[in-house]
Amino acid sequence: MTDRHPGFSTLAVHAGAQPDPTTGARATPIYQTTSFVFNDADHAASLFGLQAFGNIYTRIGNPTNAVLEERVAALEGGTAALAVASGHAAQVVVFQQLLMPGDEIIAARKLYGGSINQFTHAFKSFGWNVAWADSDDVASFERAVTPHTKAIFIESIANPSGSITDIEAIAAVARKAGVPLIVDNTLATPYLIRPIDHGADIVVHSLTKFLGGHGNSLGGIIVDAGTFDWSKDNKYPMLSEPRPEYHGIKLQETFGNFAFAIACRVLGLRDLGPALSPFNAFMILTGIETLPLRMQKHCENAKAVAEFLAGHPKVAAVNYAGLASDRYNNLARKYAPKGAGAVFTFSLKDGYDAGVNLVSNLKLFSHLANVGDTRSLVIHPASTTHSQLDDAAKVKSGAAPDVVRLSIGIEDKEDLIADLEQALTA
Amino acid sequence: MNHDAYDDNYIRAILNSVKSIAMVGASPVNVRPSYFAFKYLAQRGYDMIPVNPGHVGKSLLGKPFVASLADIDRPIDMIDIFRNSSHIMPVVDEALKLSPLPKVIWMQLGARDDAAAEKAEAAGIKVVMNRCPKIEYGRLSSEISWMGVNSRTLSSKRAPIPTQGMRLSLNRMSVGGGETAASDRAAKNKSEP
């Protein structure tokens, strides 16, 4: 008899969780504790030496967080995961394992503005360099490869433009260059796109968005696909060389196909410190249980709103890959057949001022800097999330001055359309 | 037998049935993966035998090293080979001379020799390649989930308590007064209407 492969919705509810051994509690308990007692001195030494599986201190691991980690790893089809305090923390921890001063990453220009800032400014002070490439031009990634390149970074569905990235084509470039492909899958969630199935080696998320889904808890996660051979060219000494922090252990040799997730935990999280609160892990876990249902509704509503806007006389353009006329519709059909997500942009014929007016006239949409909430959200990226970019970079990242970004919630779509209608005519 | 992917039931049946495990290439150096795996499996109740000609005369966690499989004085259920792929065949040849034959030959993470596997399987021996028994045990018991690893298992049953279970402890600190005094008072009030 072969093992059954549980479906996505079953994994969303069950993966990683089990009734509590001590109390029988069925919901995952919030282990709100800093530390865990050792059985004896030998047990303590085994845990510190990475010889035993177990809990030491919540900065390194926590049982509530571990349930979240296994659940997202299962949903993404990865071998292991590590939860951290935010999506930004996930990126710092990932790159700390891969980059030494003087090394480079190639990143898509169409990225969340916060990531562009992090890569451009914060990473510069670590001596990590970024080369930018165009997600719509695979050859631009190929051209950017140098002997210092250590990774390629893209978003599956780009924020704010909602465009779909050809993951398989860029994965082929990464394979040829001998570097891992990292995919930020925040806007798609594994319900819509599983980047590992298309060649990604590492997946990162801001859990704050659709996975948590209720706009109440920050979190980030790193998923190890278990696909990359870190020891091949000794390009990744954190994984392949004896680690002085652990008396000479080689992580890939010891942990095999989940060594990257272990490195992120025992070298990244341990030493950089961005631990996720167990309370936030609990809130996000509860959100994930309804991820499939919510994403269906998010996508259904987003398509209806995009269609309404596309037919409105005051709207100049709608960029939603779920529309048949959109330039990314073919990629959406290939990578996200269940729906093209719920974050997209549109522009108004009367430009910047009309966009500002629209935002202030809306009554149901909330004007704030987040996406992936149950509530519908609106923002003007050029003056907020992408404000630190110059005008040319704004256009290239999909945040031109006349563009308004929507994140469509799970309200009744008729009410969302009515709100946009009154705001457009007000 | 497909050695690219193993059904969980295949691995589970092996780990549930074997009792004695000879570990070829076991290291007494406590940062080597073989040391981790040896210690972990010994703590889970397997009868572990370290095989390494370079360390005869020494012990690993109280178990004396032997030089070769032929030097083991009792039947071995499983041979766990902690050697590179190029050193697998001689170990399998040695294993095939044992009587009784081992039930399982297990090649460690990173080690794979399809010809050696075929030879062992022809003799009725089950083979696992490029896996670690510690990781597989931890995964199938979901103990490895503490590390955020995808165990690829689900269960709605209460997990076994990871220690030996709750027992009456003679070492608990008892707190004087309090509860006892209050209940004494209550009993006293009752008997004095």
Side-chain angles (χ1 to χ4, degrees):
Chain A
M1 195 193 90
T2 56
D3 294 310
R4 242 192 94 70
H5 292 289
F8 190 92
S9 298
T10 302
L11 293 175
V13 172
H14 286 280
Q18 196 172 353
D20 183 63
T22 307
T23 62
R26 179 63 268 221
T28 297
I30 304 169
Y31 289 96
Q32 190 71 27
T33 181
T34 57
S35 337
F36 303 83
V37 293
F38 307 117
N39 300 343
D40 50 42
D42 182 58
H43 181 228
S46 295
L47 287 172
F48 273 100
L50 303 181
Q51 295 172 13
F53 311 121
N55 297 297
I56 299 174
Y57 191 65
T58 288
R59 178 161 44 76
I60 304 165
N62 174 282
T64 309
N65 299 20
V67 175
L68 173 63
E69 288 159 353
E70 185 173 0
R71 182 159 309 168
V72 177
L75 293 176
E76 286 285 7
T79 54
L82 175 72
V84 292
S86 69
H88 260 34
Q91 289 168 187
V92 175
V93 169
V94 161
F95 288 118
Q96 188 220 4
Q97 310 320 309
L98 303 179
L99 303 180
M100 295 289 155
D103 284 344
E104 277 174 25
I105 57 169
I106 302 170
R109 263 191 210 94
K110 276 188 187 155
L111 286 192
Y112 161 51
S115 294
I116 296 177
N117 284 336
Q118 186 190 43
F119 293 179
T120 307
H121 303 294
F123 284 9
K124 193 178 277 174
S125 65
F126 301 163
W128 302 343
N129 302 315
V130 56
W132 299 101
D134 180 355
S135 331
D136 301 329
D137 175 14
V138 174
S140 70
F141 285 84
E142 234 165 336
R143 286 195 300 273
V145 174
T146 75
H148 299 291
T149 304
K150 291 296 176 72
I152 295 179
F153 186 96
I154 58 174
E155 291 178 359
S156 53
I157 298 182
N159 180 4
S161 64
S163 64
I164 312 276
T165 306
D166 190 347
I167 302 171
E168 286 174 14
I170 297 171
V173 175
R175 253 197 317 280
K176 199 172 149 203
V179 303
L181 175 65
I182 305 162
V183 178
D184 180 342
N185 199 31
T186 299
L187 292 196
T189 83
Y191 179 74
L192 298 179
I193 300 179
R194 301 211 318 168
I196 293 172
D197 294 345
H198 301 292
D201 299 297
I202 297 164
V203 174
V204 293
H205 280 279
S206 166
L207 296 168
T208 315
K209 312 303 185 306
F210 293 100
L211 279 163
H214 294 71
N216 57 26
S217 304
L218 288 188
I221 204 159
I222 300 154
V223 181
D224 184 352
T227 45
F228 196 83
D229 181 1
W230 304 104
S231 304
K232 214 170 105 195
D233 304 317
N234 286 338
K235 270 160 72 174
Y236 303 97
M238 298 287 264
L239 282 299
S240 66
E241 298 305 299
R243 293 313 310 171
E245 300 92 327
Y246 292 98
H247 307 294
I249 286 177
K250 296 179 190 173
L251 292 176
Q252 184 173 24
E253 177 190 62
T254 306
F255 295 102
N257 67 1
F258 55 92
F260 185 77
I262 295 288
C264 288
R265 182 186 302 280
V266 306
L267 301 174
L269 186 56
R270 188 194 72 159
D271 293 347
L272 299 175
L276 177 68
S277 149
F279 182 79
N280 282 23
F282 172 83
M283 297 300 282
I284 294 163
L285 265 174
T286 304
I288 289 176
E289 292 181 9
T290 58
L291 176 69
L293 297 171
R294 285 187 291 105
M295 289 313 289
Q296 287 163 22
K297 184 78 170 166
H298 277 296
C299 291
E300 178 197 324
N301 284 359
K303 188 151 191 271
V305 169
E307 280 166 354
F308 160 76
L309 289 171
H312 198 282
K314 292 197 172 176
V315 172
V318 178
N319 306 301
Y320 182 60
L323 295 177
S325 56
D326 194 84
R327 67 176 287 201
Y328 297 100
N329 190 249
N330 281 339
L331 287 170
R333 284 170 196 275
K334 173 175 179 175
Y335 288 104
K338 283 184 280 194
V343 175
F344 64 91
T345 58
F346 68 101
S347 51
L348 292 166
K349 286 178 181 161
D350 295 335
Y352 180 91
D353 292 337
V356 170
N357 278 337
L358 173 84
V359 170
S360 59
N361 288 338
L362 284 164
K363 293 174 179 168
L364 205 51
F365 281 78
S366 303
H367 180 206
L368 54 75
N370 190 30
V371 292
D373 195 323
T374 49
R375 288 154 281 261
S376 290
L377 315 174
V378 62
I379 202 164
H380 179 236
S383 61
T384 55
T385 56
H386 289 65
S387 61
Q388 295 185 29
L389 307 183
D390 61 40
D391 281 354
K394 278 175 185 159
V395 172
K396 279 181 180 161
S397 71
D402 60 338
V403 157
V404 173
R405 180 185 76 187
L406 299 179
S407 171
I408 303 299
I410 59 173
E411 301 99 332
D412 288 306
K413 57 179 178 273
E414 296 79 7
D415 295 328
L416 300 177
I417 290 170
D419 192 29
L420 285 162
E421 172 80 78
Q422 66 80 22
L424 284 166
T425 47
Chain B
M1 183 75 203
N2 172 17
H3 289 287
D4 295 325
Y6 298 105
D7 199 280
D8 280 357
N9 286 323
Y10 179 73
I11 303 288
R12 198 180 277 121
I14 288 172
L15 293 174
N16 270 328
S17 63
V18 302
K19 292 186 174 63
S20 55
I21 303 177
M23 186 181 283
V24 176
S27 169
V29 179
N30 70 2
V31 298
R32 298 301 302 152
S34 63
Y35 178 93
F36 291 12
F38 190 95
K39 182 174 177 182
Y40 181 89
L41 295 170
Q43 285 172 341
R44 301 288 169 300
Y46 293 104
D47 172 15
M48 299 299 295
I49 304 144
V51 182
N52 191 331
H55 296 289
V56 175
K58 288 186 251 173
S59 292
L60 182 47
L61 301 169
K63 313 276 186 169
F65 275 97
V66 298
S68 70
L69 293 172
D71 296 338
I72 299 172
D73 57 2
R74 52 195 188 277
I76 313 158
D77 295 328
M78 176 164 126
I79 297 171
D80 183 11
I81 309 176
F82 259 93
R83 302 297 309 274
N84 293 336
S85 302
S86 57
H87 294 98
I88 300 290
M89 190 61 98
V91 181
V92 170
D93 285 335
E94 205 187 330
L96 289 171
K97 290 184 194 134
L98 296 173
S99 177
L101 284 175
K103 299 186 185 86
V104 180
I105 290 180
W106 188 302
M107 302 172 206
Q108 202 50 40
L109 210 53
R112 176 164 180 161
D113 180 338
D114 286 277
E118 212 170 296
K119 210 173 191 183
E121 283 171 335
I125 298 171
K126 286 184 181 173
V127 174
V128 176
M129 298 194 283
N130 190 24
R131 292 287 186 281
C132 171
K134 175 191 172 185
I135 290 172
E136 295 303 305
Y137 192 105
R139 189 174 69 75
L140 294 170
S141 67
S142 89
E143 186 186 9
I144 204 169
S145 300
W146 297 125
M147 306 296 286
V149 172
N150 185 3
S151 68
R152 307 201 308 277
T153 62
L154 301 179
S155 173
S156 62
K157 297 284 183 279
R158 193 164 169 166
I161 292 175
T163 60
Q164 299 303 310
M166 291 173 81
R167 292 188 187 175
L168 181 64
S169 170
L170 301 178
N171 292 326
R172 289 173 71 87
M173 188 177 77
S174 292
V175 182
E179 300 284 328
T180 314
S183 54
D184 282 354
R185 252 196 325 277
K188 202 176 162 198
N189 290 343
K190 235 180 191 176
S191 61
E192 289 172 10

